[in-house]
């Protein structure tokens, strides 16, 4: 198949951030294996190819990281991205040890506390909303996930605002910047220093948080080093905080754009998980993930050489009309099942998927118990500019309380 298409995929382009879906459609139709010479990557956009890409963790390696940003790429990537930037057997060893601390039971036991944190932030947001507009991201969606992670790890409440600010600093990108800015690197270092102190404290005296559980985790005498614990904590901040914030805001935005779909949710909050799943399909937080070719890979009569970067586009895969009926329609309750790739697939399937789903369910259920309607001020909504995640930096809303 020849790659004759004049469509340009630039993950740093603000126009692409506003609405990537027309670009994706053209890629799927015209260049299912796309090449960008200038930025030096290939991209796969069809559902079948993206799924195959996630599952082929030998030829498509994670070991140089999963971001296109040059500073994040390289053999050092696992220092901040933990086992997400590793291949087996190193990946499996670390993942198995970490999952001894990060258990479904621990997540279940966290739910009452997640509900408390949700209500605290909801109270503040709804009070500020009063008769006017309030920023749903600044007051709610941007605060809750980082607080949940801090709760899980054992960060004292007094430090959480600061930790949240550092986490935001790690992710922020200005217009036209195609690499990690100095401010983000500084925020990353400050965050790591904070967590280093926390790990050192737990080494002296264990508590019942995830940080202690990670230090205690052991398989046949094998334990996590301090650096490995730190890498995982940092991964939680990036992967677990950012994506859930985006999910909560994307759900609110698309619910507002499709009010007929939300009627069923107002009537029955048990349908919130279906709302979450359709949001994950329709406009997923994680749009683009990078892999590195090991050996070589042949697709569409084209051989991709060793060391080249291949981008997997789950954001495009979820709108593939080869797999979903009427994919550009937002339909709460549609059949999605195992076709969803928001959390990846295969060996690197997201360890935090159940935490993200639980958080989103609790947050949106409690919100809908308190309101009977809301409107998004679209003119003043501001998108996040990132080469791999999609969502809102600001989402002003007005609410009608029940």
């Amino acid at each position: 198949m020849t790659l004759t298409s004049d469509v340009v995929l630039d993950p740093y382009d603000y126009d692409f951030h506003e609405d990537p879906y027309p670009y994706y459609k053209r890629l799927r139709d015209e260049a299912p294996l796309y090449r960008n010479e200038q930025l030096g990557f290939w991209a796969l956009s069809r559902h079948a190819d993206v799924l195959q890409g996630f599952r082929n963790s030998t030829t498509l390696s994670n070991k140089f990281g999963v971001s296109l940003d040059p500073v994040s790429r390289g053999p050092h990537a696992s220092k901040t991205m933990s086992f997400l930037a590793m291949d087996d057997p190193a990946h499996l060893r670390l993942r198995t040890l970490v999952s001894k601390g990060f258990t479904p039971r621990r997540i279940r036991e966290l739910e009452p506390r997640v509900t408390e944190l949700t209500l605290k932030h909801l109270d503040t947001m709804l009070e500020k909303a009063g008769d006017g507009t309030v920023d749903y991201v600044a007051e709610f969606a941007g605060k809750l996930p980082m607080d949940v992670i801090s709760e899980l790890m054992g960060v004292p409440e007094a430090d959480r605002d600061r930790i949240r600010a550092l986490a935001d600093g790690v992710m922020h990108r200005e217009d036209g910047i195609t690499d990690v800015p100095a401010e983000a690197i500084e925020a990353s270092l400050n965050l790591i220093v904070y967590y280093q102190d926390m790990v050192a404290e737990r080494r002296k005296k264990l508590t019942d948080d995830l940080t202690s559980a990670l230090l205690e985790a052991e398989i046949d005498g094998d334990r996590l080093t301090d650096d490995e614990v730190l890498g995982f904590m940092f991964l939680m901040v990036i992967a677990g905080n950012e994506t859930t914030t985006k999910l909560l805001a994307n759900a609110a935005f698309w619910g507002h754009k499709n009010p007929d779909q939300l009627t069923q949710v107002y009537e029955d909050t048990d349908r919130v998980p279906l709302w979450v799943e359709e949001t994950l399909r329709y406009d997923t937080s994680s749009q683009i993930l990078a892999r590195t070719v090991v050996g070589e890979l042949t697709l569409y009569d084209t051989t991709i050489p060793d060391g080249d970067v291949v981008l997997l586009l789950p954001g495009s895969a979820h709108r593939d009309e080869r797999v979903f009926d009427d994919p550009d329609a937002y339909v709460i309750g549609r059949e999605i099942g195992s076709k969803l790739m928001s959390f990846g697939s295969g060996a690197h399937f997201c360890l935090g998927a159940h935490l993200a789903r639980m958080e989103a369910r609790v947050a949106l259920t409690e919100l809908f118990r308190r309101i009977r309607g809301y409107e998004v001020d679209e003119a003043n909504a501001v998108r996040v500019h990132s080469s791999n995640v999609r969502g809102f930096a600001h989402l002003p809303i007005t609410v009608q309380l029940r």
Side-chain angles (χ1 to χ4, degrees):
M1 184 174 290
T2 54
L3 305 183
T4 50
S5 172
D6 58 356
V7 62
V8 175
L9 173 68
D10 177 356
Y12 297 102
D13 175 45
Y14 271 32
D15 187 58
F16 172 73
H17 296 164
E18 285 303 318
D19 186 5
Y21 296 104
Y23 293 86
Y24 290 155
K25 177 157 179 47
R26 289 191 58 195
L27 287 178
R28 290 193 303 272
D29 292 344
E30 299 167 25
L33 174 62
Y34 168 82
R35 174 70 181 159
N36 185 316
E37 284 295 345
Q38 192 191 352
L39 291 172
F41 68 79
W42 303 82
L44 292 170
S45 49
R46 288 183 183 172
H47 191 282
D49 295 332
V50 176
L51 184 62
Q52 193 53 45
F54 275 129
R55 293 190 170 169
N56 181 359
S57 52
T58 44
T59 310
L60 288 174
S61 162
N62 282 49
K63 70 173 176 238
F64 295 105
V66 298
S67 166
L68 190 60
D69 298 347
V71 162
S72 308
R73 293 195 60 70
H76 61 282
S78 62
K79 284 194 168 43
T80 51
M81 294 306 274
S82 187
F83 53 75
L84 187 57
M86 291 180 185
D87 296 328
D88 288 339
H91 157 259
L92 184 63
R93 171 195 165 259
L94 196 53
R95 187 184 172 106
T96 309
L97 275 164
V98 162
S99 46
K100 286 187 94 66
F102 197 73
T103 57
R105 181 177 153 206
R106 188 174 283 277
I107 303 309
R108 263 199 315 279
E109 288 171 353
L110 191 65
E111 187 169 326
R113 188 65 187 123
V114 172
T115 307
E116 275 175 47
L117 290 167
T118 298
L119 293 174
K120 184 184 92 171
H121 290 307
L122 261 183
D123 284 344
T124 308
M125 179 178 83
L126 295 175
E127 200 176 311
K128 285 188 178 176
D131 305 317
T133 306
V134 67
D135 187 343
Y136 172 86
V137 173
E139 296 302 334
F140 185 56
K143 287 186 169 175
L144 180 66
M146 195 60 223
D147 280 4
V148 170
I149 286 165
S150 289
E151 179 76 29
L152 190 62
M153 291 205 231
V155 174
E157 283 197 48
D159 295 349
R160 288 183 192 175
D161 285 345
R162 185 173 140 240
I163 293 301
R164 202 185 311 123
L166 288 173
D168 289 344
V170 171
M171 299 309 295
H172 184 72
R173 299 289 178 275
E174 294 295 342
D175 191 358
I177 302 290
T178 58
D179 207 343
V180 181
E183 298 80 17
I185 292 171
E186 189 185 345
S188 303
L189 293 172
N190 286 330
L191 204 53
I192 285 180
V193 167
Y194 179 88
Y195 287 145
Q196 273 173 330
D197 292 345
M198 211 166 110
V199 167
E201 277 175 28
R202 298 299 188 278
R203 281 268 182 233
K204 290 188 209 128
K205 185 174 187 294
L206 291 169
T207 52
D208 64 350
D209 52 36
L210 177 62
T211 308
S212 300
L214 293 172
L215 292 173
E216 283 187 293
E218 182 226 339
I219 299 171
D220 300 334
D222 185 18
R223 288 174 175 266
L224 295 163
T225 66
D226 283 9
D227 279 353
E228 287 169 342
V229 172
L230 283 170
F232 178 68
M233 291 167 84
F234 199 81
L235 174 65
M236 290 278 290
V237 169
I238 306 302
N241 166 41
E242 175 77 356
T243 47
T244 312
T245 287
K246 305 295 171 277
L247 167 59
L248 290 172
N250 289 344
F253 181 78
W254 293 113
H256 154 79
K257 296 285 275 183
N258 297 272
D260 58 312
Q261 291 296 311
L262 275 194
T263 309
Q264 51 177 310
V265 187
Y266 282 112
E267 287 167 2
D268 178 10
T269 51
D270 284 347
R271 292 185 71 79
V272 164
L274 297 174
W275 178 21
V276 171
E277 292 304 297
E278 176 63 346
T279 303
L280 285 166
R281 180 199 72 85
Y282 188 80
D283 199 19
T284 187
S285 312
S286 301
Q287 291 273 323
I288 297 177
L289 290 138
R291 297 288 191 266
T292 307
V293 175
V294 174
E296 58 181 37
L297 180 66
T298 302
L299 284 164
Y300 296 101
D301 302 329
T302 307
T303 298
I304 306 174
D306 182 69
D308 273 19
V309 175
V310 175
L311 300 185
L312 303 176
L313 311 178
S316 170
H318 290 155
R319 297 285 191 103
D320 191 343
E321 44 289 287
R322 295 158 191 80
V323 174
F324 295 102
D325 294 332
D326 198 6
D328 293 330
Y330 187 72
V331 182
I332 292 173
R334 75 156 72 221
E335 182 54 48
I336 302 172
S338 61
K339 293 181 284 195
L340 191 75
M341 288 185 273
S342 297
F343 299 108
S345 187
H348 283 275
F349 182 80
C350 174
L351 200 58
H354 49 299
L355 175 61
R357 285 183 164 121
M358 181 267 279
E359 264 181 82
R361 170 175 56 76
V362 170
L364 295 170
T365 300
E366 294 303 334
L367 174 67
F368 268 44
R369 284 183 177 153
R370 314 282 289 281
I371 64 169
R372 54 188 171 78
Y374 70 96
E375 290 292 323
V376 171
D377 173 7
E378 288 185 51
N380 291 301
V382 179
R383 285 208 165 273
V384 165
H385 295 291
S386 154
S387 61
N388 51 356
V389 297
R390 181 167 157 78
F392 292 91
H394 300 287
L395 195 69
I397 62 167
T398 51
V399 297
Q400 298 90 49
L401 297 175
R402 282 196 188 264

